[in-house]
Amino acid sequence: MKKNRMWKFIKRLLLFTLLMSIIGLFAIYRYYFQDVLKYETQVYTELKASNLEEYTPLLLGLMMQETKGKGKDPMQASESLGLAKDSIHDTSKSIQQGVSHFKDVYSYGKKQGVDLQTIIQSYNMGIAYIDFVKTHGGKHSDQLAKTYSLSMVETNPELYTCNNNKKNFRYPYCYGDFTYSQKVMKKTKYFEVLVPLKHNIVGKP
């Protein structure tokens, strides 16, 4: 009898510990992503205007990769306007432009028949990356992104230098981040699974 009671106590203790760990994990994630989560409604609203609201978790994952929701240009959208980095000083304008840029690459990517990862990567590398991928099978890969990056570096080797830091993981692929799509997809999963959203509609592949 004592052994049974002891075993029941241990199981309850283990279950309680597991439950507290899960709750704690969610709390940590919620805190870590709070700067991005505060923009969820605006991102959703901007996307809904073009019937793309199912990509809300994806755009939040993209923002998480770009800035973690910090600064005046949380979508790092200045360069998509041909401006210098951080030229946008209004978070609402940043989100409007970031979503607009995503809509542009999404629409063009779908037209060209490339995969979603290519579309995401083109947010970082520019819309011409879509054309490059289309002529090389239509599916993004790190190797394709590296090849494209090198071709862009060759057009302006004095600009794309990774600050001449050969220890930089991107070197010598110093145009964009060839791992960008992979990182955004991973962060998107956080918003789809681990961080409850008001508008959690999973995007279509």
Side-chain angles (χ1 to χ4, degrees):
M1 291 291 291
K2 288 184 178 180
K3 286 184 178 180
N4 287 339
R5 285 199 297 270
M6 180 62 72
W7 178 239
K8 287 181 180 179
F9 173 76
I10 292 173
K11 285 198 295 185
R12 288 173 182 170
L13 181 61
L14 289 173
L15 184 61
F16 177 78
T17 302
L18 178 61
L19 182 61
M20 288 298 100
S21 297
I22 293 173
I23 293 173
L25 183 61
F26 272 95
I28 289 171
Y29 273 115
R30 190 79 188 182
Y31 175 79
Y32 183 58
F33 293 110
Q34 65 179 349
D35 288 330
V36 169
L37 287 170
K38 66 185 179 184
Y39 296 117
E40 178 192 347
T41 297
Q42 186 179 354
V43 169
Y44 172 83
T45 302
E46 295 288 344
L47 286 169
K48 190 175 182 180
S50 299
N51 296 315
L52 292 173
E53 64 270 21
E54 67 266 29
Y55 291 103
T56 298
L58 174 58
L59 267 290
L60 295 178
L62 191 151
M63 185 191 293
M64 190 70 198
Q65 175 60 30
E66 290 287 351
T67 65
K68 297 183 174 63
K70 301 182 185 301
K72 297 297 184 181
D73 187 7
M75 295 292 289
Q76 284 294 288
S78 299
E79 291 169 284
S80 68
L81 286 170
L83 304 174
K85 184 178 179 180
D86 295 323
S87 293
I88 294 176
H89 301 293
D90 183 292
T91 57
S92 292
K93 290 182 179 179
S94 173
I95 292 170
Q96 289 171 0
Q97 177 56 30
V99 172
S100 177
H101 180 45
F102 173 76
K103 288 189 293 187
D104 287 344
V105 296
Y106 176 85
S107 177
Y108 189 66
K110 286 297 182 181
K111 182 180 178 181
Q112 296 302 315
V114 299
D115 63 352
L116 181 59
Q117 285 188 304
T118 298
I119 292 169
I120 296 170
Q121 189 70 35
S122 68
Y123 187 96
N124 174 257
M125 286 187 158
I127 203 166
Y129 179 69
I130 291 173
D131 293 321
F132 177 79
V133 172
K134 181 184 179 181
T135 61
H136 291 81
K139 290 187 178 182
H140 164 79
S141 69
D142 283 359
Q143 188 54 53
L144 277 180
K146 285 180 176 180
T147 302
Y148 182 75
S149 178
L150 274 184
S151 71
M152 295 301 290
V153 170
E154 289 171 358
T155 66
N156 199 336
E158 295 182 358
L159 177 61
Y160 306 119
T161 65
C162 296
N163 293 320
N164 295 312
N165 179 10
K166 293 185 178 181
K167 292 183 179 180
N168 187 315
F169 80 94
R170 294 186 298 130
Y171 191 88
Y173 314 104
C174 296
Y175 176 83
D177 177 356
F178 63 86
T179 66
Y180 185 81
S181 178
Q182 173 185 333
K183 290 172 180 174
V184 170
M185 293 291 280
K186 182 178 180 180
K187 290 176 173 62
T188 297
K189 288 297 180 185
Y190 295 156
F191 292 105
E192 290 176 343
V193 179
L194 294 174
V195 184
L197 299 179
K198 298 175 185 176
H199 312 99
N200 197 353
I201 308 170
V202 178
K204 300 172 185 177

